[in-house]
Amino acid sequence: MIAVFLSLLAHAADDGLPDAAIPPALAAAEADPHVATLEAWLSEQGAPPEEVHQVAVGMMAMEQGVAWQRGDVQLRDGAIVLRLAEGDRYAPPSDTARILEAWGNPPGKVTDGMVLPSGSHLFGPGTWAVLVHFEEEGWVDDSDAAEIDYDELLTSMQASQEDGNQQRRELGLEGVHITGWAEPPHYDSASNVLYWATLLRSDEGGVTLNY
């Protein structure tokens, strides 16, 4: 993630951002107390000492530059309403796309935005968020959940991930591999939700959980 973010900072500089536009944004980011946490975290991750402060401030500036929304958020021209809890923040699709790239994902991911839980930040230890995406699948009967072959599903997901790794490496990103279930699939009939979580390992050994 650190290398990816440094690359994004370099591209932003190459794009010719006016010098007069930089100081206010960076000054506001630098004053945020989370910068100190980011600096300690980046040092633990092995970031070059001479780049730690620049990257930490850049990460904070990116977070502050998101067009966050709070409260009730309307999606799909009002067809869907997200009722956010106190402190939760919603990022619209355009900002979410930039965030996902900064997290080391290939461009082009289609979402309906992202929810950052209360007290969380885009970067740093314990970072997590919820991607929002709506599919008009129509009616799905509860009994269908009992008929899914979850071993076959995992194998299919692993194969799809490996296919995607070719694109990741062409873009200069490290591969990510699904190593198994972090939480085996189970269906909650009361809330009509199918839950599962996968464990992912990067080529460099980093571990991520997708829930």
Side-chain angles (χ1 to χ4, degrees):
M1 179 189 293
I2 297 168
V4 173
F5 197 84
L6 282 170
S7 176
L8 289 174
L9 286 179
H11 284 308
D14 292 340
D15 287 341
L17 187 66
D19 290 342
I22 298 175
L26 293 183
E30 197 162 19
D32 193 291
H34 186 58
V35 168
T37 301
L38 285 172
E39 289 177 337
W41 175 71
L42 288 166
S43 296
E44 290 174 359
Q45 300 301 308
E50 67 275 11
E51 296 174 349
V52 164
H53 183 69
Q54 175 196 10
V55 174
V57 173
M59 287 176 166
M60 201 64 243
M62 183 176 186
E63 179 174 327
Q64 292 180 353
V66 173
W68 298 109
Q69 299 178 44
R70 295 171 172 79
D72 290 352
V73 178
Q74 294 191 356
L75 309 178
R76 302 289 180 103
D77 296 322
I80 302 170
V81 177
L82 289 180
R83 302 192 184 282
L84 302 182
E86 183 71 26
D88 289 354
R89 296 180 285 171
Y90 167 83
S94 57
D95 282 324
T96 297
R98 292 192 305 112
I99 293 165
L100 291 176
E101 285 192 54
W103 283 354
N105 294 283
K109 176 79 172 177
V110 178
T111 74
D112 286 299
M114 167 188 290
V115 176
L116 193 67
S118 177
S120 295
H121 291 276
L122 289 181
F123 304 96
T127 294
W128 68 280
V130 178
L131 289 181
V132 181
H133 185 62
F134 177 73
E135 292 280 357
E136 296 190 66
E137 295 288 356
W139 173 258
V140 179
D141 193 274
D142 284 5
S143 61
D144 289 351
E147 300 175 1
I148 298 175
D149 185 330
Y150 294 117
D151 290 334
E152 181 180 333
L153 175 63
L154 179 62
T155 300
S156 174
M157 292 170 67
Q158 289 172 322
S160 178
Q161 183 68 41
E162 292 307 317
D163 289 341
N165 279 334
Q166 180 176 349
Q167 180 195 12
R168 293 180 63 89
R169 294 188 178 104
E170 289 173 355
L171 293 170
L173 303 172
E174 58 180 316
V176 177
H177 314 274
I178 298 175
T179 59
W181 297 119
E183 180 175 351
H186 60 277
Y187 181 69
D188 184 342
S189 58
S191 59
N192 303 117
V193 175
L194 179 63
Y195 294 95
W196 73 53
T198 53
L199 279 174
L200 297 95
R201 177 184 52 79
S202 71
D203 287 341
E204 296 182 358
V207 177
T208 303
L209 184 147
N210 272 2
Y211 185 80

